[in-house]
Amino acid sequence: MGEQTTTTFPQEIIDQYEGLGLDLPALFSAGHLGERMGLRIVEAAPERVVGTLPVEGNTQPYGLLHGGASAVLAETLGSVGSMLHGGPHKIAVGVDLNCTHHRAARSGLVTGVATPVHRGRSTATYEIVISDEEGRRVCTARLTCLLREVEVPAAANASAAG
């Protein structure tokens, strides 16, 4: 569904994950669902995550961008921001998603921008604004993620220590 883009990460994020044996773009991607929908993450940092989604192929029967497609874009961007905030020893699990649809999109790309509302030790909340190519707001969403501790694989611990 189009060209591949590379996600831009700030240097401090690259440094934080270096030596853990993780593929940063794959870890902070849209996953299989996002791939099928053509979702692309363009920029990813705890302070701001930007992604795009084509309207074509993600419409409901009236030819409008499906509200569920906006929800997928919003949850993906907010989750990536939450995961980056949590760092390599936490995973983000979405616990609440709210979407308000303001206007229809019939063609082109929509762009979502996720910015933090709250970044704590155990939860993170992001506001996601989705706009059309003319800059008109299509959807406003809010995602809250629970941040859960995870163990870093032993191989990653050994390489980080040495």
Side-chain angles (χ1 to χ4, degrees):
M1 219 182 197
E3 65 188 54
Q4 295 291 326
T5 59
T6 303
T7 305
T8 302
F9 294 96
Q11 189 61 47
E12 62 267 16
I13 295 297
I14 294 168
D15 294 344
Q16 186 179 24
Y17 283 83
E18 188 177 53
L20 295 179
L22 300 171
D23 178 2
L24 215 54
L27 181 63
F28 299 109
S29 72
H32 296 297
L33 176 61
E35 286 176 23
R36 282 194 303 273
M37 295 176 70
L39 195 160
R40 300 286 177 249
I41 297 174
V42 179
E43 175 186 329
E47 301 79 23
R48 177 180 155 98
V49 182
V50 179
T52 61
L53 182 75
V55 173
E56 184 179 343
N58 294 308
T59 58
Q60 39 89 309
Y62 298 119
L64 309 174
L65 178 66
H66 195 291
S70 293
V72 168
L73 177 59
E75 184 149 0
T76 299
L77 300 179
S79 293
V80 167
S82 296
M83 289 169 30
L84 288 168
H85 164 66
H89 299 286
K90 292 189 178 181
I91 60 168
V93 180
V95 294
D96 182 58
L97 175 65
N98 175 282
C99 299
T100 301
H101 306 286
H102 305 291
R103 71 178 327 114
R106 297 178 185 280
S107 63
L109 280 179
V110 292
T111 299
V113 178
T115 54
V117 173
H118 167 77
R119 290 186 294 170
R121 287 182 297 124
S122 61
T123 63
T125 301
Y126 280 75
E127 177 184 60
I128 304 92
V129 175
I130 299 172
S131 303
D132 64 15
E133 290 179 320
E134 286 77 43
R136 298 175 300 191
R137 191 176 291 221
V138 172
C139 176
T140 303
R142 186 191 68 245
L143 175 71
T144 298
C145 288
L146 176 65
L147 301 174
R148 299 188 64 183
E149 294 281 339
V150 294
E151 288 188 35
V152 177
N157 282 330
S159 67

